[in-house]
Amino acid sequence: MGAEHSSSTVLSASDYTVPARGNVDFSYNMNNEESISPVSSVFEVIHRSSGRVLLSDRLLSNRGVISYRIPPDIEGQVDARIVDTSITEEGQPKVLSKVEIMVTRPVITRPVPVETRGVRLSLLSEPFCDCSQLVAISRDGGIKSGDFLEFHNSRERVGWHWCQGKTQIDFGVCASVQDEQITVRYREEGGIFSSGTLVAEMHYTLRNPVQELKVSCSRPSIQEAVQVTYKMFRTPTNCMIVGRYHGVRIFAHAVSSLEGQCTVTMPRLPGEMDIVCIADNSGDNKLASEKLTVSDPNTASKVSISLRGYAPDHRILSLRPNQRFDVQSSGALLNAMDEVVVIEAQSLFDQPTHTSLTMARQQKTIGEHGVCSFTITQE
């Protein structure tokens, strides 16, 4: 893994081996080259094996830092690069700089049992946020009055129990602290006015049980059947997949296997639909989600077009024949059968010319983020 630079534009990563759901910071410096404009420079993150575009953003300055969180379903090599959309090489934007990172799956194991000053702590349950966290306790000479156990996440104490007369303590389901460092502390001589004395502590990471959650279509039509597939790190005991239309639950499916699928029928009206995997029957314990935009193909929808690489307050100031650029759109334009799109142009003096530009699509497939490549041709 490493970096490639074809110009003085430099791109680097804070880490070149990152776990799924991990964070990585990308630093870039375009060195104020006159030939390189941040207006036409785009930062992209692409999963190499699938070709999936994970991120595509226009750069607004010559230097900066972009923070990015790796999706949970990504594994293998990922390319991050800066391209200049105003320059093409073999029909593709010129790559100014590129780095490669490797995304790995986390190895999930129980923490090693702890023994300190005759106190022994061990985790009996699996370290996943959808199941109860059960901790076994014992102490040489017996557990004393005033001994208690605390359960902390990275921000605060989320539970505690007296230990006397017990051999194990159940802290319940803690889905709100997924993928966080957990600390279990055993204290003695605690009381109403005393926080006690720390005797032993155990650390581990509480993991998300969802390995992958995918939908067959992110822009379905009304009443269309959408396939939802999932993969889990462990056989779930308390997980559900629910569908929420504008926040109202209209579908629920119990997850009881390591992997599987279910079919969700879209509502009869257009709008936003969320497919969510939750840890129990509470909407607060969201483990993974996918957002869908439901449309009605029989209703004329407003199509918005933004030209990537240009300021959002105007369309195009100047164009030349055979100039390549990217178009990002929403609504009815995002149909596989669309081959030509027409937009209205404006002159250099920002006066409407009432002239249409015909753009023939160069690539037949539309990316996940609705980005297509076009070339302007003379009428």
Side-chain angles (χ1 to χ4, degrees), residues 59-267:
L59 298 180
L60 301 178
S61 62
N62 283 327
R63 60 179 59 86
V65 177
I66 300 172
S67 297
Y68 181 67
R69 183 176 174 86
I70 304 295
D73 60 334
I74 293 299
E75 184 176 11
Q77 191 162 313
V78 170
D79 296 326
R81 65 184 192 178
I82 295 176
V83 299
D84 190 342
T85 58
S86 66
I87 306 174
T88 60
E89 294 180 343
E90 297 181 355
Q92 297 297 321
K94 181 180 180 181
V95 178
L96 303 179
S97 185
K98 183 177 76 171
V99 296
E100 302 171 351
I101 63 174
M102 180 61 69
V103 178
T104 60
R105 290 289 186 188
V107 178
I108 302 174
T109 59
R110 287 190 178 90
V112 176
V114 172
E115 182 172 357
T116 306
R117 292 168 52 188
V119 172
R120 285 168 292 278
L121 303 176
S122 62
L123 184 66
L124 299 179
S125 58
E126 293 183 285
F128 290 98
C129 60
D130 67 320
C131 60
S132 294
Q133 298 302 290
L134 190 62
V135 179
I137 55 174
S138 63
R139 183 171 189 175
D140 293 345
I143 295 175
K144 304 174 184 178
S145 175
D147 290 4
F148 65 99
L149 202 64
E150 296 179 316
F151 192 85
H152 293 254
N153 63 19
S154 59
R155 301 181 303 277
E156 60 187 351
R157 187 176 78 172
V158 293
W160 71 277
H161 290 276
W162 295 113
C163 297
Q164 191 173 32
K166 301 175 182 177
T167 59
Q168 56 189 33
I169 292 177
D170 188 350
F171 284 100
V173 177
C174 302
S176 60
V177 292
Q178 57 178 297
D179 290 339
E180 281 197 293
Q181 185 71 23
I182 299 300
T183 302
V184 178
R185 296 191 176 108
Y186 189 104
R187 293 180 178 272
E188 64 180 359
E189 299 177 350
I192 298 177
F193 301 106
S194 172
S195 59
T197 303
L198 179 64
V199 178
E201 64 180 13
M202 176 177 63
H203 303 276
Y204 67 97
T205 301
L206 198 59
R207 300 292 188 181
N208 191 323
V210 182
Q211 180 178 348
E212 184 177 284
L213 181 68
K214 287 185 177 181
V215 292
S216 59
C217 178
S218 61
R219 293 179 177 272
S221 300
I222 56 173
Q223 295 186 295
E224 181 179 344
V226 173
Q227 296 294 320
V228 179
T229 58
Y230 58 86
K231 291 183 180 180
M232 314 293 286
F233 283 111
R234 61 178 288 274
T235 302
T237 57
N238 200 27
C239 287
M240 296 179 67
I241 292 177
V242 299
R244 298 194 183 110
Y245 175 68
H246 289 294
V248 178
R249 183 186 296 185
I250 62 173
F251 171 84
H253 171 80
V255 178
S256 58
S257 59
L258 283 174
E259 58 182 273
Q261 66 178 23
C262 57
T263 301
V264 184
T265 301
M266 296 298 101

